[in-house]
């Protein structure tokens, strides 16, 4: 019997060494079309700024690009960093997307800036918002998606009455508790910050309060998933991601490097430990290996859904990885 837990995709729109953001966005379109054909549930893109290795800064624009190129799959943000924006602007953007692609748009929200502090100040300019106002901003955003009330002075047009599904995203206990309090679905960023995964899920489930959006808790767990014809080939492809995270331990960010550039001896034990701890929620290997590792993570967390990301230097290998995982999982229509 195939596993029943839905699989979704988180695309960080990686800009690889030697390529451009335009290349990355074309690759995103192609991967989304494959995910659509293969039976993945949703396709999310993330907001990051001032990062030369990620092309999805204008997240709502890229979501429209992906939704217009696909037919069935839900498309959304994983996520929008709400402290960077006025809630009304996000309501209008996602109200527009929902109007264009009805029933297919998700809005995941995070409370981090998705960048460094200098860039965060450039984004916010004179806005008074911060992560301290995040709960109030979420409530304001929810209100814009409800039907217009009598004498309501400010409306989201489009947006009002569209009930765009809102998720809270997090890598700590804060968003887990807020999602539970508001009765919203919760996605944990364990693909790069797995430390609090188990505690966050337990807190979310134990404190969940049913709402008009959700009557019982719903948890999505993010994981890196890299599949190839053999375990050895997949581990080789994983070298790009290990190198990226080892470099982050030195405060270095950049475009996604080829796996051949990772030479373990170039890095200290502490830097390698940082990379491996950050990437602990990963399933890497031949299709059967990836399937087994994902099933173990689901058994451990009770995840209602898995959101998979694969930062692979070679675009063809990335397409093949997602196709192999879909086939191993028994998703509907895995002929890619």
């Amino acid at each position: 019997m195939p596993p029943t837990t839905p699989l979704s995709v988180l695309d960080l729109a990686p800009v690889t060494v030697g390529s451009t953001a335009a290349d990355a966005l074309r690759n995103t379109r192609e991967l989304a079309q494959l995910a659509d054909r293969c039976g993945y549930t949703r396709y999310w893109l993330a907001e990051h700024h001032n990062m030369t290795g990620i092309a999805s800064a204008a997240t709502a624009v890229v979501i429209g690009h992906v939704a217009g190129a696909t037919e069935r799959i839900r498309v959304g943000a994983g996520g929008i960093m709400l402290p960077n924006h006025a809630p009304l602007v996000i309501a209008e953007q996602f109200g527009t997307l929902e109007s264009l692609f009805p029933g297919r748009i998700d809005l995941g929200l995070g409370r981090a800036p998705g960048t460094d502090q200098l860039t965060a100040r450039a984004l916010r300019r004179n806005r008074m918002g911060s992560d301290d106002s995040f709960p109030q901003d979420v409530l304001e955003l929810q209100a814009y998606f409800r039907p217009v009330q009598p004498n309501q002075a400010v409306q989201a047009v489009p947006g009002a009455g569209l009930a765009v599904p809102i998720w809270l995203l997090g890598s700590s206990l804060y968003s887990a508790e807020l999602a539970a309090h508001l009765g919203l679905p919760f996605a944990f960023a364990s693909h790069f910050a797995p430390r609090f995964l188990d505690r966050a899920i337990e807190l979310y489930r134990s404190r969940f309060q049913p709402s008009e959006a959700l009557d019982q808790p719903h948890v999505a767990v993010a994981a890196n998933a890299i599949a190839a014809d053999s375990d050895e080939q997949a581990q080789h492809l994983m070298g790009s991601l290990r190198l990226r995270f080892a470099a982050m331990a030195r405060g270095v960010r950049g475009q996604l490097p080829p796996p051949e550039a990772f030479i373990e001896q170039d890095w200290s034990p502490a830097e390698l430990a940082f990379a491996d701890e950050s990437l602990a929620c990963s399933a890497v290997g031949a299709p059967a290996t990836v399937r087994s590792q994902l099933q173990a993570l689901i058994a451990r967390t009770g995840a209602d859904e898995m959101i998979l990301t694969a930062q692979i230097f070679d675009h063809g290998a990335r397409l093949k990885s997602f196709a192999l995982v879909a086939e191993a999982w028994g998703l509907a229509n895995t002929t890619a």
Side-chain angles (χ1 to χ4, degrees):
M1 290 290 291
T4 57
T5 305
L7 298 185
S8 293
V9 177
L10 171 63
D11 180 11
L12 298 178
V15 183
T16 59
V17 170
S19 72
T20 67
D23 296 325
L25 293 171
R26 282 193 293 270
N27 292 344
T28 282
R29 176 188 174 100
E30 191 172 356
L31 178 58
Q33 290 172 330
L34 180 139
D36 195 29
R37 295 193 302 269
C38 283
Y40 286 91
T41 298
R42 53 188 104 240
Y43 194 98
W44 282 4
L45 295 129
E47 176 187 348
H48 294 278
H49 300 280
N50 196 29
M51 294 187 183
T52 59
I54 298 176
S56 52
T59 314
V61 178
V62 185
I63 289 169
H65 172 65
V66 167
T70 53
E71 299 177 359
R72 173 202 56 83
I73 197 167
R74 297 190 65 87
V75 186
I80 291 293
M81 301 298 109
L82 194 53
N84 296 337
H85 309 279
L88 177 60
V89 172
I90 299 305
E92 291 170 339
Q93 289 178 357
F94 280 78
T96 300
L97 288 166
E98 176 65 21
S99 297
L100 291 169
F101 309 102
R104 293 183 56 207
I105 301 300
D106 296 327
L107 174 53
L109 302 173
R111 62 186 280 263
T115 188
D116 59 89
Q117 290 304 310
L118 184 64
T119 307
R121 286 195 292 272
L123 285 164
R124 296 175 189 175
R125 292 290 179 170
N126 297 321
R127 281 199 66 235
M128 299 301 292
S130 71
D131 56 2
D132 295 331
S133 64
F134 182 68
Q136 292 74 31
D137 287 347
V138 173
L139 292 173
E140 181 181 344
L141 183 52
Q142 283 186 301
Y144 286 130
F145 288 133
R146 296 191 182 104
V148 175
Q149 300 301 302
N151 303 315
Q152 182 175 331
V154 180
Q155 303 176 24
V157 183
L162 294 184
V164 175
I166 291 177
W167 293 63
L168 293 193
L169 318 180
S171 58
S172 67
L173 305 182
Y174 179 97
S175 291
E177 186 162 11
L178 182 60
H181 177 71
L182 297 178
L184 294 174
F186 176 59
F188 194 87
S190 35
H191 62 295
F192 76 94
R195 180 181 176 188
F196 296 107
L197 171 61
D198 299 287
R199 289 174 59 193
I201 291 176
E202 191 282 327
L203 178 67
Y204 170 69
R205 288 200 172 112
S206 65
R207 300 191 181 181
F208 182 84
Q209 300 178 26
S211 70
E212 61 183 17
L214 202 62
D215 59 1
Q216 58 186 2
H218 185 94
V219 175
V221 172
N224 302 287
I226 296 179
D229 289 332
S230 69
D231 289 352
E232 293 75 19
Q233 288 175 327
Q235 289 293 341
H236 173 72
L237 295 174
M238 183 71 173
S240 296
L241 201 51
R242 288 192 74 202
L243 177 51
R244 167 168 274 183
F245 274 80
M248 286 171 58
R250 294 183 184 176
V252 177
R253 298 177 184 269
Q255 297 178 331
L256 186 70
E260 296 81 11
F262 178 63
I263 301 172
E264 194 156 335
Q265 292 83 350
D266 290 346
W267 304 92
S268 71
E271 290 164 343
L272 293 172
F274 172 82
D276 292 339
E277 289 167 7
S278 299
L279 301 172
C281 282
S282 297
V284 183
T289 302
V290 171
R291 171 176 162 147
S292 176
Q293 291 173 346
L294 290 177
Q295 287 176 318
L297 186 55
I298 292 167
R300 168 184 147 194
T301 62
D304 300 295
E305 183 173 334
M306 294 297 300
I307 298 183
L308 308 182
T309 186
Q311 295 199 59
I312 298 173
F313 179 81
D314 180 78
H315 179 56
R318 188 163 72 130
L319 292 173
K320 181 175 180 178
S321 176
F322 277 102
L324 289 173
V325 172
E327 184 176 6
W329 208 252
L331 295 185
N333 187 20
T334 57
T335 302

